[in-house]
Amino acid sequence: MTHFDVFNGDADGLCALTQLRNAEPREATLVTGVKRDIKLLDRVEAGPGSLVTVLDVSMDKNQAGLQAALQNGASVFYCDHHFAGDIPEHPRLEAVINTAPDVCTSLLVNNHLGGAFLGWAVVGTFGDNLRDSAHRIARPLALDASGLAQLENLGIYINYNGYGSQLDDLHFAPEVLYRLISQYADPFDFISDGSEHFQKLESGYQQDMAAAAALTPEYRDASAAVFMLPDEPWARRVSGVYSNDLANADPARAHAVLTAKANGCYLVSVRAPLNNKTGADELCMQFPTGGGRKAAAGINDLPADMLQDFIDKLAAFYA
């Protein structure tokens, strides 16, 4: 009998699964990919008695795979904070879904486990750019400013590692990085024992962000700004965390970061204003391959001839 752990390749997905498997060790086939690779349940061939855990990918985008797993006799634990669509009622489905803008999957898993591995929940929540939520749940750890900054940086670096159009863009394949971090019940032990891996993520992040710092906006008004990144591995890696940095630095403005793709289309990351964390998913779902959550969403393949329409709708939406 084969079990499956299906998870987003970003910090939230990795840290959610790290918590679960420290609490409930289980041999399972890992199913993951780059952050934008979200139709992961299509890869799962679960049979009667299989246990399928799904973390941090939209149920709406995985309805077909979910229904197939249930029909084939598997039991499914599904935990997520993205738009879910219709949640099936089924005796073998346990769904923990909360789409509130201040919630992520790592935080939901932390609640599910009663805070058993709170450090990793804090890392994942920081990685999802929910800084206020991360500070709030971190209080029982009683960390000083330096300790909290270490967890924040780790979350940012793990999240940064998940972005790219293909696994070759990443410093670590998400499955590999998960196996490295999940050995540790406490993220501080990973930072010290796995210092070479931490430093590889940190140096890559710093180099890529230095390149991004030289960019000027393609479009900017009082409510929204648009930045364009080239079709380069560093740009694909940095697109998500750069979007978060822009949002943190200018909390009253919406931001979109568009990365050119080899097929002539654009990969789009949208961040709603931190002062009004809503509507990013609604905006992106107006375009093919768009989706996400209220505070942060994206479009996997925006056709070039829809670029101006996207900029116009972004500006109008947040005006």
Side-chain angles (χ1 to χ4, degrees):
M1 184 188 306
T2 303
H3 304 319
F4 299 87
D5 285 339
V6 182
F7 59 104
N8 197 304
D10 70 355
D12 194 22
L14 269 70
C15 292
L17 184 58
T18 293
Q19 292 175 77
L20 272 178
R21 290 297 157 256
N22 270 282
E24 304 165 2
R26 178 186 303 164
E27 288 296 321
T29 298
L30 301 180
V31 181
T32 187
V34 297
K35 178 178 173 63
R36 295 300 182 93
D37 193 356
I38 56 173
K39 283 195 172 183
L40 297 174
L41 268 175
D42 289 349
R43 302 187 203 163
V44 172
E45 295 184 6
S50 291
L51 303 176
V52 182
T53 297
V54 190
L55 301 169
D56 199 38
V57 291
S58 165
M59 184 181 286
D60 181 63
K61 301 291 188 183
N62 284 277
Q63 283 284 356
L66 174 59
Q67 293 289 354
L70 293 171
Q71 289 168 8
N72 289 338
S75 295
V76 180
F77 174 75
Y78 206 120
C79 185
D80 186 47
H81 64 129
H82 299 90
F83 176 74
D86 294 328
I87 301 174
E89 291 188 10
H90 196 283
R92 280 184 277 102
L93 171 64
E94 181 181 0
V96 180
I97 307 291
N98 185 336
T99 62
D102 58 349
V103 164
C104 64
T105 308
S106 287
L107 196 155
L108 294 174
V109 169
N110 178 65
N111 292 342
H112 179 72
L113 297 176
F117 299 94
L118 178 57
W120 284 116
V122 173
V123 172
T125 305
F126 271 129
D128 229 36
N129 201 39
L130 299 177
R131 298 185 76 227
D132 290 344
S133 296
H135 281 279
R136 175 177 55 79
I137 67 170
R139 287 172 191 155
L141 297 175
L143 298 172
D144 60 17
S146 174
L148 202 58
Q150 281 187 290
L151 296 188
E152 181 171 14
N153 287 338
L154 178 58
I156 290 170
Y157 301 157
I158 294 174
N159 204 54
Y160 149 80
N161 181 76
Y163 283 86
S165 64
Q166 55 196 11
L167 292 175
D168 287 346
D169 288 338
L170 311 184
H171 297 294
F172 296 91
E175 178 179 335
V176 172
L177 186 54
Y178 163 73
R179 292 193 186 281
L180 290 172
I181 69 173
S182 62
Q183 301 174 47
Y184 299 94
D186 187 327
F188 289 109
D189 291 336
F190 167 74
I191 292 171
S192 60
D193 292 356
S195 58
E196 63 182 289
H197 309 306
F198 180 84
Q199 289 166 7
K200 182 177 180 179
L201 291 171
E202 183 172 60
S203 62
Y205 170 82
Q206 291 173 346
Q207 290 170 16
D208 290 351
M209 288 298 283
L215 296 171
T216 56
E218 179 81 7
Y219 170 89
R220 175 153 53 185
D221 65 14
S223 303
V226 177
F227 290 78
M228 308 290 285
L229 290 171
D231 179 19
E232 299 287 347
W234 74 264
R236 293 190 289 272
R237 287 194 298 266
V238 86
S239 61
V241 289
Y242 181 55
S243 301
N244 290 341
D245 269 18
L246 292 170
N248 292 331
D250 191 358
R253 184 180 272 124
H255 292 87
V257 174
L258 287 81
T259 307
K261 299 178 64 174
N263 65 0
C265 297
Y266 296 94
L267 178 71
V268 183
S269 290
V270 174
R271 299 294 182 268
L274 291 185
N275 295 349
N276 178 30
K277 294 193 291 187
T278 189
D281 53 350
E282 183 181 341
L283 170 71
C284 290
M285 284 191 289
Q286 296 180 46
F287 296 89
T289 71
R293 50 191 174 87
K294 298 177 190 298
I299 304 167
N300 285 344
D301 211 42
L302 179 73
D305 60 6
M306 300 183 79
L307 173 59
Q308 190 59 51
D309 184 34
F310 169 78
I311 294 174
D312 292 344
K313 286 182 175 173
L314 173 75
F317 193 94
Y318 289 106

